[in-house]
């Protein structure tokens, strides 16, 4: 389901450039804590949850993308394998034009 539409996931390069401290979350507490479990039933509800999470955090994608240089894109695409040159040229054209 997640891979069915781009509205359900972040771009592949996002994790590669995400700062290490943002890749892990830690929870510490003393004595006790409260929580709420949300049970999701139905495909359309799951889709809605995924899409709303991505929408709520897409500003992070824009922030990171704004800081990337051409060398970062070259490094990312070189790790991807096939069609690297074509994708890189397409991206550079978008960035330049």
């Amino acid at each position: 389901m997640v891979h069915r539409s781009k509205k359900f996931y972040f771009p592949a390069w996002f994790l590669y450039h995400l700062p290490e401290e943002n890749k892990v979350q830690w929870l510490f507490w003393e004595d006790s804590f409260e929580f709420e479990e949300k049970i999701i039933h139905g495909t359309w509800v799951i889709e809605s949850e995924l899409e709303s999470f991505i929408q709520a955090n897409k500003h992070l994608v824009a922030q990171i993308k704004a800081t990337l240089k051409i060398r970062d894109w070259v490094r990312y695409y070189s790790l991807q394998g096939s069609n690297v040159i074509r994708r890189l040229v397409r991206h550079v054209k978008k960035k330049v034009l």
Side-chain angles (χ1 to χ4, degrees):
M1 165 184 261
V2 172
H3 301 289
R4 191 170 64 195
S5 172
K6 289 186 176 186
K7 65 183 180 181
F8 300 139
Y9 61 87
F10 294 113
W13 56 264
F14 180 69
L15 179 63
Y16 183 73
H17 293 286
L18 195 63
E20 287 298 320
E21 62 270 11
N22 292 349
K23 292 179 183 178
V24 178
Q25 288 189 348
W26 301 89
L27 301 174
F28 297 99
W29 65 90
E30 293 181 17
D31 300 325
S32 65
F33 64 94
E34 293 183 26
F35 71 97
E36 180 180 336
E37 184 175 5
K38 186 174 188 177
I39 299 174
I40 303 172
H41 293 285
T43 304
W44 66 274
V45 181
I46 295 170
E47 288 177 352
S48 177
E49 277 294 312
L50 288 171
E51 189 173 6
S52 65
F53 178 80
I54 297 300
Q55 289 299 317
N57 292 287
K58 74 180 195 178
H59 66 282
L60 297 173
V61 174
Q63 286 174 353
I64 290 175
K65 192 173 188 177
T67 66
L68 297 180
K69 308 285 187 243
I70 296 298
R71 71 175 184 278
D72 298 319
W73 292 108
V74 170
R75 190 173 342 141
Y76 168 72
Y77 284 122
S78 70
L79 297 173
Q80 298 305 305
S82 64
N83 300 318
V84 171
I85 300 300
R86 184 169 38 122
R87 290 185 298 188
L88 181 60
V89 168
R90 190 177 331 137
H91 177 75
V92 169
K93 282 182 180 178
K94 285 181 190 175
K95 206 149 173 80
V96 172
L97 301 177

